[in-house]
Amino acid sequence: MSEAGPGLPIGILAELTHRCTLQCAYCSNPLELLKADKELGTAEWRSIFEQAADLGILQVHLSGGEPILRPDLAELVGVLASRGLYSNLITAGVGLDETLTARLAAAGLDHVQISFQGARPETTEAIGRLRGSHEKKLAAARAVRAAGLPLTVNAPIHRRNIEEVELFIDLALELGAERLEIANVQYYGWALLNRPALMPPREAVERQIGIVEAARAALRGVLAIDFVAPDYYASFPKACMGGWARDAFMITPDGTAMPCHAAASIPGLRFDNAARLPLTEIWNRSPAFEAYRGTGWMNERCRGCERRDIDFGGCRCQAMALTGDPTETDPACSLSPLHAHVLALAESDAASAEATIHPRRIGGARAGELTR
């Protein structure tokens, strides 16, 4: 970042589809999920990826929904490989068999990340709502390793599976993964709707941290373990996607380019479409990308903070969700005057043992759910 304008972006999260084989309640996709007829076609994604290479982007994360539901996935991977872009497939693994994995590897795929909803079969099935899904994920992970591709096991952690952290570590070792991501759920989209049913108690989070720290020390050089802390219990907020439109951005299935997953929750932002406007134009001049870049937009509290160039005031979407003001300090920050309120909110949600779970579904949440 400089006064002359933004630097070059490093990566894109490309959501190829919102369709998915699972119905995970912690999904960060918006409540109004796009149907297949709204998705960009192969030619449009090809053009976007060619432009990404010209813009200087280094890596593209192919996500969804479930990206393997796209019949053109191998072709799109081939476009990225032909331009020297690092490609990472983010998948639930259900349906990723040896044949498709071999095709993707031959096309030039660089890395696969498979999410496991639980370390036990019954947990995976209960959260993803698909019978036999755990065994299919195991088979997918083995196919990835057989194809010679690097593997990351992603473990989205919440109240329903937080006691399985040690088992997730064992699972990653068993599958020969290079990396394990213990990713505490971030509350956007469906996860925000389901927060009362997902928020873990503080003591469980602290126990989890101790397990992860011990495993990191014991498995150094064997398994890399990344840990994403739960924002509501953190001392300081994360710099979401490296900071608002600072080094990465995302594109939704219909081509809408946004700084992050939940940016559409902020009123007044106008988002450009990457199928209709050049990526260079969007990155350098999009009003939505410029809205919270740098530090000029910050309130006095954040602008005068020594952490302003570390976490950039935290997540704008979380500030909007929790305070109604996207320019407010992210309440996950211990320096925010609302931090105690967020802790109380987390503890209240964690105690709501009978909270209803609303499964993710195409077409959006029902009217009664949207009022929560």
Side-chain angles (χ1 to χ4, degrees):
M1 284 299 221
S2 71
E3 294 300 323
L8 294 177
I10 296 171
I12 292 177
L13 176 66
E15 292 191 334
L16 302 181
T17 180
H18 275 167
R19 291 171 289 147
C20 190
T21 46
L22 304 181
Q23 293 185 310
C24 303
Y26 62 77
C27 183
S28 60
N29 283 148
L31 296 181
E32 297 295 332
L33 296 166
L34 296 170
K35 297 181 179 180
D37 62 353
K38 301 296 184 183
E39 296 173 10
L40 297 182
T42 305
E44 292 166 308
W45 277 115
R46 287 184 67 103
S47 174
I48 288 170
F49 291 155
E50 293 282 0
Q51 293 177 60
D54 293 340
L55 185 55
I57 284 164
L58 302 177
Q59 52 189 312
V60 174
H61 303 275
L62 302 168
S63 181
E66 178 48 73
I68 68 171
L69 294 177
R70 294 275 308 210
D72 57 357
L73 181 59
E75 181 180 349
L76 296 179
V77 167
V79 174
L80 298 174
S82 71
R83 295 301 306 272
L85 294 173
Y86 184 92
S87 57
N88 174 36
L89 174 64
I90 303 173
T91 174
V94 178
L96 184 62
D97 57 18
E98 290 185 358
T99 301
L100 178 55
T101 304
R103 283 181 58 215
L104 294 172
L109 185 67
D110 291 300
H111 182 272
V112 179
Q113 176 177 314
I114 298 179
S115 62
F116 279 80
Q117 285 65 44
R120 297 187 179 99
E122 57 270 25
T123 308
T124 299
E125 292 185 12
I127 295 171
R129 294 177 177 252
L130 181 65
R131 183 171 297 177
S133 56
H134 193 82
E135 289 72 18
K136 292 175 181 178
K137 291 169 181 288
L138 294 176
R142 292 175 183 130
V144 168
R145 299 305 290 126
L149 291 169
L151 172 67
T152 290
V153 169
N154 175 251
I157 301 296
H158 46 82
R159 189 162 81 221
R160 309 281 168 143
N161 66 3
I162 196 168
E163 299 303 335
E164 297 184 16
V165 170
E166 287 179 293
L167 296 179
F168 276 120
I169 295 169
D170 293 340
L171 178 64
L173 291 170
E174 175 192 338
L175 294 173
E178 283 85 0
R179 178 172 165 265
L180 168 65
E181 185 174 288
I182 302 292
N184 284 270
V185 166
Q186 310 299 310
Y187 294 97
Y188 308 104
W190 288 90
L192 182 60
L193 178 67
N194 286 300
R195 192 184 63 200
L198 298 175
M199 184 69 69
R202 176 187 284 275
E203 57 270 22
V205 172
E206 292 174 349
R207 187 163 57 249
Q208 166 193 220
I209 292 172
I211 292 170
V212 170
E213 289 178 346
R216 276 176 165 170
L219 297 172
R220 186 172 289 113
V222 177
L223 176 68
I225 303 178
D226 290 341
F227 180 74
V228 180
D231 278 357
Y232 286 48
Y233 291 120
S235 296
F236 297 107
K238 63 182 182 301
C240 182
M241 291 188 69
W244 184 276
R246 183 177 177 84
D247 58 23
F249 61 99
M250 67 162 294
I251 300 175
T252 67
D254 67 354
T256 303
M258 300 193 299
C260 69
H261 262 104
S265 65
I266 299 178
L269 294 181
R270 180 182 63 81
F271 301 101
D272 296 306
N273 192 290
R276 295 192 285 272
L277 195 67
L279 277 189
T280 299
E281 178 77 12
I282 294 173
W283 177 254
N284 287 315
R285 284 178 281 278
S286 166
F289 281 40
E290 288 294 313
Y292 304 107
R293 262 182 175 148
T295 60
W297 61 270
M298 290 181 178
N299 61 41
E300 184 177 344
R301 185 186 311 113
C302 288
R303 196 178 304 124
C305 179
E306 61 183 13
R307 295 182 58 85
R308 64 183 177 276
D309 294 318
I310 299 174
D311 53 40
F312 308 101
C315 177
R316 296 303 86 221
C317 304
Q318 190 155 264
M320 179 67 208
L322 294 174
T323 75
D325 181 359
T327 67
E328 183 53 78
T329 305
D330 184 342
C333 181
S334 56
L335 302 177
S336 165
L338 296 173
H339 187 62
H341 168 70
V342 171
L343 289 177
L345 186 66
E347 290 166 0
S348 173
D349 283 349
S352 57
E354 303 303 318
T356 301
I357 285 185
H358 306 282
R360 173 197 188 277
R361 66 175 72 86
I362 290 288
R366 298 188 180 97
E369 296 170 355
L370 289 170
T371 61
R372 288 183 61 83

